[in-house]
Amino acid sequence: MSNFQKKYIDLNGGTPRANNAANNKRAGRKKKLTARQGVRYVLSVIGTTFLTLFLIIIITVCIVAVALTVYITQFAESMYDVDLKGSVDLSLSSFVYAYDKNEGDYVRIMQISADENRVWVDIEEIPQHVIDAVIAMEDKRYFEHDGVDWSRTVSATLITLFDNDEMQGGSTVTQQLVRDITKDNNVNIGRKLREIFRALSLEKKYSKSDILESYLNRIAFDNTTYGIGSAAFHFFDKSIADVTIAEAAILAGVIRSPVSYSPYYSLSSTRKRQIDTLDKMYEQGLISYSEYDKALNEKVRFRKPVKGDSFGYTDERYNDYYGVQGDDDGGEDEDLYYANTDWEDMLGDPYKWYGDYEVTINWYVDAALKEVTDHLAELKGITKESARDLLKRGGYSIYLNVDTEMQDKIENVFRDWRIVRNPDFPYPAGTESKDTLQGAFVIMDYSGRVVALAGGVGDKPGNDCYNRATQSSRSIGSTVKPIAVYGPAVEYGKITYSTMLLDVAGKIDAPGETGETVSWPQNYEKNYGTGAYYNAWAAVMNSTNTISARTLSLVGVQNSYSFLQDKLGITTLDRSRNLNYSSLATGSLDVRLHELAAAYQIYGNGGIYYKPSLYSKIEDSNGQVVLRQDPVGVQAVGKDTAWIVNRMMRKVVNGGSGTGYLAAIDNIEVVGKTGTANDMANLLFCGLTPDYVGVVRIGFDDNREIKSQGVDRWRAIARIWSDVMKECIPTDEPRSFVPEPDVVEADYCTYTGLVAGPRCPSVNTGYYKKSDLENMCDDSKHNGVFLAEQMDRVPYYKNP
């Protein structure tokens, strides 16, 4: 057998054909076995995979369950809770109000804020369409869910997971409120879970109305503007109660992104958001079609200038403030952005004057806020700085005594340099510097309420600046005489209207301890008196220093000092410097202008002193009065004394040769007193009309001498007073003082100054207390001896 044949013989001796058949049979069985094994393997892999996934899911669920358990346990232990109107520390804006005679009510003139401009508005004060607009945009199922809108949350989560470019919030109003209160803004699952549980907890304690009220008062709208109430004013210059549907849609549209959707940033974006809000309101059945159409076509006006014509008009104010207006491209405009930023920086000042786009406050409000701060600090027992901060954050309502029309007028007079353009003073208008002839003015009614004031000449240099009407304490010169000398002298029965007083200087101790005396005081004419006798009213009219000192000696230095301090509320007195003849007889003492005005009011209101006040009351955020300045007066002098001194000062203006004759105003009776101090470094006039006290002072801040041309300087100041008052008060109807019934108008003897008897050769008319009538003149007193016996020829003035 060949080798070829042997290769095909089976080991068992089979033939090649037989062997092939057997081999084929075995191969088939092997293939079947391999296929079954593959199936089993695949099934095994699939099973293992599913089992792994199942285990992963179980483990994940367990982990989540444990995490949720931990969170729930934590929240259960901490019992998350918050008082939506109490313990939550909100910064509330304060507001300043002034009485508007035309409106017959108080009107808001200013807002005071810190980092957050906010005024709390109760839910009942918010119109339903404002609430509807916010709900339509922010949480349409707000009144249906229990704090979390689960369908919205799941939808937002899926969108965020599968589209990283499309981030979705899904937070309800309640969740947004929780986030705002807690300031928990981390972007992670932990924060979201905390937010959800807190929202659920919050809704268990509070009603939907309470939560919505807190939300609407907390949310941000634009830069430092927080809360729906402040937003209404910030955007539309109106209260939330007056907001229209169109404006409500703007407010709701801004919430999502206060900067991007602000009309002061991009008007076109604001318009798009407004339309979107209106669409949603209509689709959700919150407004009718007619309301929708009307709101859509309303040309909304904004408080500040806006760029663009997205609301159907071009704001004509924009060019005046920012420059030439371009197209609104619907995005950031660099010039507009920075212009608005600058504007907000200015409005970021603690005190804001909102009106005609002025960003500074006037002299009156500035002074009033200083007074409020001082009183609040005293009430709370805190520093003035802390009181000022409290004022910016405490939600107070401050009611001022200002007469807004009068204040506007006096501001204009002093702003346009009227005072330095007076022809009697050769000083050109200048800038705020030591070379500017400065001045101040205070107008007060007869209950101590300051109704208008000016604290400086020219443009007001800034907010919270130096106010010469209420802060400057300077020498008052001869204006001291009616309040420290003649008023007390009449009150204490030392003189009458017509008492004859000798015009001769006395002696006073020389400076130092030399033991020598010198003649004192000098009169304006640089003499030591004429040696003649003058009636008391004439001494007032001519402002005679020698007679003032002589009359003070009758009153007593201590009595005069106490009268100013205790009865007339002068707070700047110092015993070591002012308890002397020089201070009290000639006015070498420093007094603030508004306190001087308050001291003079007693001669126009029957002798009653009222402390000067710039505000009437302050209420807290709950409407409770925390400070009140009711006009409760003190009878400083009798009604008869007040009227007699009033008649003395009438001679200053109407006496023919009085120092204040230039103060006269047609139709208006004026009484008053001039004053010069520090060698003509300060000029003053204190004037009274039947309705107001007005006090003016001019002088350089560095106390240099004031030079004049034309009339004497002490006469020119009366003309300035008259010019200002004529600008501020009505003069068309005649006005006169009402006589005091207890004062007797009677003749006096011009030889003796006593009430005239039947044989007095020359008489004039005077004003007297009833008790003065007992001392009547007779023939024996006409020879001059009577007067010589009444007083020392050269008195010695001994200071205490």
Side-chain angles (χ1 to χ4, degrees):
M1 185 179 293
S2 65
N3 290 334
F4 179 80
Q5 290 177 321
K6 289 181 179 178
K7 289 176 60 179
Y8 294 95
I9 296 176
D10 186 58
L11 293 175
N12 293 324
T15 61
R17 185 178 298 275
N19 290 336
N20 287 339
N23 289 337
N24 289 337
K25 187 175 181 180
R26 285 195 298 269
R29 287 197 302 267
K30 187 174 182 180
K31 286 180 179 180
K32 290 179 181 180
L33 180 61
T34 303
R36 284 196 297 269
Q37 290 175 338
V39 171
R40 290 173 183 168
Y41 177 76
V42 171
L43 291 175
S44 174
V45 171
I46 293 173
T48 302
T49 301
F50 275 105
L51 180 60
T52 302
L53 290 174
F54 177 73
L55 291 175
I56 290 173
I57 292 172
I58 294 298
I59 293 171
T60 302
V61 169
C62 291
I63 293 173
V64 171
V66 171
L68 289 176
T69 301
V70 172
Y71 278 113
I72 293 172
T73 302
Q74 288 178 341
F75 294 133
E77 291 175 351
S78 62
M79 295 182 66
Y80 174 74
D81 192 11
V82 65
D83 185 348
L84 295 182
K85 293 184 70 173
S87 61
V88 178
D89 183 20
L90 282 179
S91 177
L92 299 177
S93 298
S94 294
F95 290 96
V96 180
Y97 297 87
Y99 190 79
D100 189 309
K101 290 183 290 188
N102 296 325
E103 295 287 335
D105 199 359
Y106 281 94
V107 295
R108 188 171 73 188
I109 63 171
M110 200 186 87
Q111 179 176 345
I112 308 169
S113 303
D115 299 332
E116 299 180 1
N117 297 341
R118 179 188 285 109
V119 55
W120 187 273
V121 183
D122 291 336
I123 194 70
E124 295 81 9
E125 301 175 54
I126 303 174
Q128 186 60 45
H129 58 262
V130 175
I131 295 173
D132 291 340
V134 173
I135 294 301
M137 284 299 283
E138 293 299 313
D139 190 357
K140 69 179 181 179
R141 285 185 286 273
Y142 174 73
F143 291 103
E144 301 169 13
H145 62 65
D146 57 358
V148 179
D149 188 339
W150 296 107
S151 62
R152 186 178 174 190
T153 300
V154 172
S155 174
T157 302
L158 292 175
I159 293 174
T160 302
L161 286 174
F162 292 102
D163 187 353
N164 291 330
D165 295 329
E166 185 68 24
M167 299 295 293
Q168 293 289 313
S171 294
T172 63
V173 161
T174 312
Q175 289 173 270
Q176 292 180 52
L177 176 60
V178 166
R179 188 162 59 246
D180 185 82
I181 292 174
T182 62
K183 308 302 180 187
D184 190 356
N185 296 314
N186 295 323
V187 183
N188 54 50
I189 187 64
R191 191 273 298 172
K192 195 65 178 178
L193 288 172
R194 288 192 298 272
E195 181 183 290
I196 289 173
F197 282 105
R198 285 167 173 168
L200 294 172
S201 175
L202 202 63
E203 292 237 0
K204 289 180 180 179
K205 179 178 180 181
Y206 289 100
S207 67
K208 289 286 187 179
S209 178
D210 290 336
I211 293 171
L212 187 59
E213 179 183 69
S214 183
Y215 172 79
L216 291 173
N217 279 285
R218 294 191 66 98
I219 49 177
F221 280 91
D222 189 5
N223 274 339
T224 60
T225 301
Y226 289 78
I228 200 83
S230 291
F233 179 75
H234 177 67
F235 290 122
F236 312 121
D237 195 19
K238 58 175 62 174
S239 69
I240 190 62
D242 299 324
V243 167
T244 66
I245 292 176
E247 293 164 340
I250 292 174
L251 293 176
V254 166
I255 294 173
R256 185 66 57 86
S257 180
V259 174
S260 300
Y261 298 140
S262 168
Y264 303 137
Y265 177 79
S266 173
L267 195 64
S268 60
S269 296
T270 303
R271 176 61 169 168
K272 291 173 184 177
R273 289 289 292 178
Q274 183 209 33
I275 294 173
D276 191 16
T277 304
L278 291 172
D279 287 344
K280 284 181 167 58
M281 293 178 73
Y282 178 63
E283 291 168 2
Q284 296 172 29
L286 299 173
I287 55 175
S288 66
Y289 180 77
S290 61
E291 290 174 321
Y292 170 82
D293 186 61
K294 180 181 179 181
L296 201 61
N297 291 287
E298 182 178 325
K299 296 181 179 180
V300 177
R301 302 289 299 189
F302 297 92
R303 185 177 66 83
K304 295 191 295 186
V306 292
K307 179 182 181 181
D309 58 0
S310 299
F311 284 85
Y313 70 95
T314 300
D315 193 337
E316 66 280 358
R317 303 168 301 170
Y318 185 91
N319 289 347
D320 293 336
Y321 189 80
Y322 294 116
V324 179
Q325 182 164 186
D327 296 330
D328 180 8
D329 58 6
E332 177 180 344
D333 180 275
E334 184 173 353
D335 293 335
L336 175 61
Y337 179 78
Y338 287 109
N340 274 317
T341 299
D342 291 340
W343 186 302
E344 291 297 335
D345 285 343
M346 287 186 284
L347 293 182
D349 186 271
Y351 306 137
K352 307 175 183 63
W353 178 258
Y354 291 132
D356 296 330
Y357 299 95
E358 295 289 333
V359 294
T360 58
I361 60 178
N362 65 26
W363 286 111
Y364 191 102
V365 178
D366 215 343
L369 291 175
K370 288 186 177 74
E371 181 175 274
V372 169
T373 300
D374 291 346
H375 292 180
L376 200 58
E378 184 178 355
L379 175 71
K380 301 287 186 180
I382 57 179
T383 65
K384 292 181 181 180
E385 187 62 32
S386 297
R388 179 167 177 160
D389 185 66
L390 181 61
L391 197 62
K392 293 185 286 183
R393 301 174 185 274
Y396 292 99
S397 294
I398 304 159
Y399 296 86
L400 303 186
N401 293 328
V402 64
D403 182 315
T404 53
E405 291 184 10
M406 195 179 294
Q407 182 62 32
D408 288 343
K409 291 174 181 177
I410 202 169
E411 291 268 347
N412 290 335
V413 170
F414 273 70
R415 184 183 299 114
D416 72 2
W417 304 99
R418 177 79 57 86
I419 194 170
V420 293
R421 288 211 304 267
N422 190 291
D424 300 316
F425 298 102
Y427 297 103
T431 58
E432 176 76 12
S433 72
K434 66 178 183 179
D435 296 322
T436 300
L437 181 60
Q438 273 297 341
F441 209 107
V442 173
I443 302 177
M444 178 184 292
D445 68 14
Y446 285 110
S447 60
R449 291 183 292 229
V450 177
V451 295
L453 63 83
V457 171
D459 290 328
K460 188 169 177 284
N463 295 335
D464 198 23
C465 61
Y466 186 64
N467 194 314
R468 296 169 185 83
T470 56
Q471 292 179 285
S472 177
S473 180
R474 301 180 68 168
S475 181
I476 61 172
S478 292
T479 60
V480 77
K481 294 171 182 175
I483 58 176
V485 179
Y486 295 105
V490 173
E491 176 69 5
Y492 301 147
K494 302 299 182 181
I495 64 171
T496 70
Y497 175 86
S498 56
T499 297
M500 299 295 280
L501 298 163
L502 182 61
D503 178 18
V504 172
K507 294 291 184 178
I508 199 167
D509 292 333
E513 298 182 359
T514 63
E516 298 179 354
T517 60
V518 295
S519 295
W520 182 88
Q522 271 192 339
N523 288 321
Y524 174 76
E525 297 81 6
K526 303 299 183 184
N527 63 45
Y528 290 99
T530 62
Y533 287 91
Y534 293 93
N535 299 115
W537 66 261
V540 174
M541 180 182 73
N542 296 317
S543 196
T544 311
N545 290 337
T546 53
I547 296 180
S548 178
R550 188 176 292 270
T551 306
L552 178 61
S553 70
L554 302 178
V555 174
V557 171
Q558 180 61 62
N559 290 335
S560 175
Y561 183 93
S562 298
F563 185 83
L564 289 180
Q565 187 174 63
D566 300 336
K567 292 195 172 185
L568 298 187
I570 304 299
T571 63
T572 52
L573 295 176
D574 181 275
R575 294 183 66 87
S576 63
R577 292 185 293 108
N578 303 134
L579 190 62
N580 55 64
Y581 275 89
S582 178
S583 292
L584 299 171
T586 62
S588 299
L589 77 167
D590 297 338
V591 178
R592 297 187 181 95
L593 207 60
H594 69 308
E595 290 189 355
L596 184 60
Y600 263 79
Q601 72 182 311
I602 67 172
Y603 299 130
N605 68 1
I608 303 174
Y609 171 78
Y610 294 94
K611 185 178 180 180
S613 62
L614 284 81
Y615 73 90
S616 59
K617 65 178 179 178
I618 303 173
E619 295 176 347
D620 62 18
S621 58
N622 297 317
Q624 299 298 312
V625 176
V626 295
L627 281 170
R628 184 187 295 276
Q629 294 196 108
D630 289 328
V632 178
V634 177
Q635 196 74 45
V637 296
K639 294 180 180 180
D640 46 9
T641 296
W643 181 243
I644 291 168
V645 178
N646 179 289
R647 296 298 86 185
M648 286 180 170
M649 292 194 296
R650 184 175 183 270
K651 290 290 189 178
V652 174
V653 179
N654 299 322
S657 60
T659 58
Y661 74 91
L662 291 175
I665 301 175
D666 291 342
N667 277 337
I668 307 296
E669 186 176 16
V670 176
V671 306
K673 184 69 186 75
T674 54
T676 61
N678 301 119
D679 295 325
M680 295 295 172
N682 289 283
L683 303 178
L684 301 96
F685 186 80
C686 300
L688 283 67
T689 73
D691 300 301
Y692 300 104
V693 182
V695 179
V696 63
R697 172 163 51 202
I698 67 171
F700 292 100
D701 285 341
D702 60 3
N703 268 333
R704 79 180 77 168
E705 180 185 358
I706 303 170
K707 300 185 182 300
S708 70
Q709 56 192 19
V711 301
D712 288 328
R713 288 163 284 190
W714 43 272
R715 298 184 192 272
I717 187 64
R719 172 152 49 202
I720 291 175
W721 181 93
S722 179
D723 288 345
V724 175
M725 291 297 286
K726 284 186 288 189
E727 289 286 330
C728 295
I729 67 173
T731 59
D732 11 337
E733 297 292 331
R735 294 284 293 147
S736 299
F737 288 97
V738 178
E740 170 53 45
D742 288 339
V743 173
V744 179
E745 187 174 335
D747 290 339
Y748 66 86
C749 176
T750 59
Y751 284 86
T752 64
L754 299 175
V755 175
R759 302 178 64 85
C760 290
S762 175
V763 298
N764 208 337
T765 302
Y767 303 86
Y768 303 94
K769 298 179 181 180
K770 292 179 180 179
S771 58
D772 295 333
L773 301 179
E774 300 173 0
N775 190 12
M776 188 175 290
C777 184
D778 58 46
D779 289 349
S780 65
K781 298 175 181 176
H782 292 161
N783 57 13
V785 176
F786 167 76
L787 293 179
E789 293 175 344
Q790 301 305 303
M791 58 195 73
D792 293 336
R793 181 74 182 174
V794 182
Y796 170 58
Y797 299 132
K798 177 67 176 177
N799 288 319

